[in-house]
């Protein structure tokens, strides 16, 4: 039986004036925590940014598509594999096999998004062609192909599908439990949203016509965030081979650290990197350290980063002393105010993460 192993990532990161994640009114998302208003970036927003970053870490066959247009995706694969089939006919073929598998094809705008890997889409295309060419009576043909289609949609999952999960309400047998969890990021301190009043000048207006061509406001805030994510490595090991597992965990860590949600990025250019990264491996359970900031950081120096780092380190040591064992392995990138862990650079951290997963693989993974 495989031993439990979790990788926890704790990040302190400062965002300058920005609006990376908006609510339905266009305001930066917030949350009340510890009785005060905090900046918030939703987990959904940051996971989307991570998935876009995955394209730099993984090959195409290791990442998937989350789309409502799964029928179009399969139809394109049908045309690519069998060039003599017109696209309109390929769409019908794709819709037929997807319906048989219990997946909405996306022909209706109300259809839910479906997560599918590149390899699954290719396999569905092959089965769609086989289904069309099979001259057996429809009832008998459906009985044969339905389990084959469901198997195709369960085999060869993409790395991001395993990490973030898949829910198929129309056919729960296609569900994947997420091996990773990403918390909503919250500011370590109290914030107040602010407004930028802006004007845009009409370049083609005659010089004697004064005034703006457009006037508006943009709401924003700035904050020092606490970010947290965890990966269940044992669960990933159930589906991935050793080399894939090492790459998946390292890729997840790098994407979590380096990614940034894209909300109003052209307006604010808020492309920051973390001020502090605390990465740990544990065999007992994941431990979120957001409690360090239940009492908001108040600083007399005018900045929040150093005090946030200090509070995180102190709280972690208190948790390890009273409630949970210290991590089995830990590293820290950035300033370490209390000797919490071995201090390394980001490239060194990513190497150590891969090495730690490699050690786990020598005991529990397939080749």
């Amino acid at each position: 039986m495989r031993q439990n192993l979790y990788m926890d990532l704790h990040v302190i990161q400062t965002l300058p004036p920005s609006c990376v994640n908006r609510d339905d009114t266009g305001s930066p998302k917030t949350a009340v925590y510890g009785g005060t208003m905090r900046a918030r970036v939703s987990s959904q927003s940051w996971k989307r940014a991570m998935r876009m970053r995955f394209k730099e870490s993984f090959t195409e066959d290791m990442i998937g598509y989350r789309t409502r247009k799964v029928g179009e995706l399969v139809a394109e694969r049908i045309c690519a594999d069998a060039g003599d089939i017109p696209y309109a006919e390929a769409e019908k073929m794709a819709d037929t096999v997807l319906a048989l598998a219990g997946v909405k094809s996306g022909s209706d705008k109300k259809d839910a998004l479906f997560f599918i890997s590149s390899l699954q889409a290719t396999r569905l295309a092959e089965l769609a062609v086989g289904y069309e060419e099979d001259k057996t009576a429809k009832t008998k043909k459906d009985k044969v192909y339905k389990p084959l289609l469901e198997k195709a949609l369960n085999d060869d999952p993409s790395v991001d599908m395993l990490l973030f999960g898949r829910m198929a309400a129309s056919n729960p047998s296609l569900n994947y439990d997420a091996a990773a969890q990403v918390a909503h990021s919250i500011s370590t301190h109290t914030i107040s949203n602010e407004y930028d009043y802006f004007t845009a000048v009409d370049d083609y207006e005659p010089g004697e016509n004064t005034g703006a061509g457009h006037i508006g406001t943009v709401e924003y805030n700035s904050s020092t965030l606490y970010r947290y994510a965890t990966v269940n490595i044992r669960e990933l090991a159930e589906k991935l081979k050793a080399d894939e597992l090492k790459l998946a965990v390292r890729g997840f860590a790098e994407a979590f650290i380096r990614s940034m949600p894209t909300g109003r990025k052209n307006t604010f250019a808020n492309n920051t990197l973390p001020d502090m990264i605390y990465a740990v491996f544990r065999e007992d359970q994941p431990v979120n350290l957001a409690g360090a900031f239940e009492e908001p950081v108040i600083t007399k120096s005018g900045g929040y980063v150093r005090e946030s780092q200090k509070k995180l380190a102190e709280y972690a040591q208190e948790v390890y002393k009273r409630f949970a064992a210290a991590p089995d392995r830990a590293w820290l990138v950035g300033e370490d105010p209390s000797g919490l862990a071995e201090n390394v650079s980001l490239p060194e951290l990513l190497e150590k993460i891969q090495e730690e997963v490699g050690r786990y693989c020598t005991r529990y993974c397939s080749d």
Side-chain angles (χ1 to χ4, degrees), residues 62-332:
M62 294 185 72
I63 55 179
Y65 305 88
R66 192 178 63 171
T67 179
R68 190 172 57 237
K69 299 181 178 181
V70 62
E72 294 181 23
L73 178 62
V74 175
E76 289 172 1
R77 299 296 172 95
I78 293 172
C79 290
D81 294 343
D84 57 335
I85 298 177
Y87 182 76
E89 184 179 340
E91 277 192 305
K92 293 179 182 178
M93 293 165 61
D95 289 350
T96 298
V97 294
L98 287 167
L100 186 57
V103 176
K104 300 291 182 67
S105 64
S107 54
D108 188 333
K109 291 185 178 180
K110 294 182 180 180
D111 288 345
L113 294 169
F114 185 75
F115 216 157
I116 185 170
S117 74
S118 180
L119 293 175
Q120 288 172 350
T122 298
R123 180 59 181 147
L124 280 184
E126 293 170 355
L127 289 169
V129 173
Y131 183 92
E132 184 69 19
E133 294 175 348
D134 193 330
K135 302 304 180 184
T136 309
K138 184 178 185 304
T139 302
K140 293 182 179 179
K141 187 163 59 172
D142 287 357
K143 188 175 182 180
V144 170
Y145 273 84
K146 182 176 174 59
L148 293 177
L149 292 164
E150 290 180 342
K151 184 176 187 302
L153 284 169
N154 275 310
D155 291 347
D156 301 314
S158 59
V159 169
D160 46 357
M161 190 187 300
L162 293 174
L163 286 166
F164 298 134
R166 179 174 73 185
M167 186 183 75
S170 56
N171 187 351
S173 70
L174 303 179
N175 289 352
Y176 275 104
D177 290 332
Q181 299 171 0
V182 178
H184 288 236
S185 305
I186 58 169
S187 63
T188 64
H189 53 90
T190 303
I191 63 99
S192 295
N193 287 344
E194 301 179 70
Y195 292 86
D196 174 34
Y197 169 82
F198 68 89
T199 63
V201 177
D202 188 332
D203 294 340
Y204 200 63
E205 276 289 341
E208 64 271 16
N209 288 350
T210 60
H214 176 73
I215 297 173
T217 58
V218 175
E219 196 171 358
Y220 68 92
N221 59 43
S222 59
S223 60
T224 296
L225 299 172
Y226 169 70
R227 302 173 51 213
Y228 169 77
T230 185
V231 179
N232 185 331
I233 294 171
R234 187 192 72 174
E235 189 169 329
L236 276 181
E238 300 287 343
K239 300 290 185 180
L240 297 176
K241 295 180 180 179
D243 288 344
E244 295 171 332
L245 181 63
K246 288 184 285 187
L247 186 60
V249 178
R250 177 184 175 135
F252 178 91
E254 184 165 14
F256 183 71
I257 291 164
R258 291 188 180 276
S259 62
M260 176 64 66
T262 57
R264 292 199 180 278
K265 67 176 182 179
N266 292 339
T267 303
F268 292 103
N270 47 273
N271 302 304
T272 64
L273 287 170
D275 302 288
M276 173 184 177
I277 305 162
Y278 177 45
V280 307
F281 280 79
R282 311 182 57 88
E283 294 183 357
D284 51 0
Q285 67 179 78
V287 178
N288 185 322
L289 298 175
F293 309 108
E294 191 274 339
E295 182 179 333
V297 171
I298 299 173
T299 176
K300 296 179 181 179
S301 66
Y304 294 104
V305 172
R306 184 164 296 182
E307 188 64 25
S308 297
Q309 292 170 329
K310 181 180 177 183
K311 287 193 72 170
L312 179 64
E314 290 175 350
Y315 183 79
Q317 290 169 333
E318 190 67 19
V319 168
Y320 302 154
K321 178 181 177 181
R322 297 180 181 275
F323 300 106
D328 301 286
R329 298 279 288 168
W331 305 275
L332 190 141

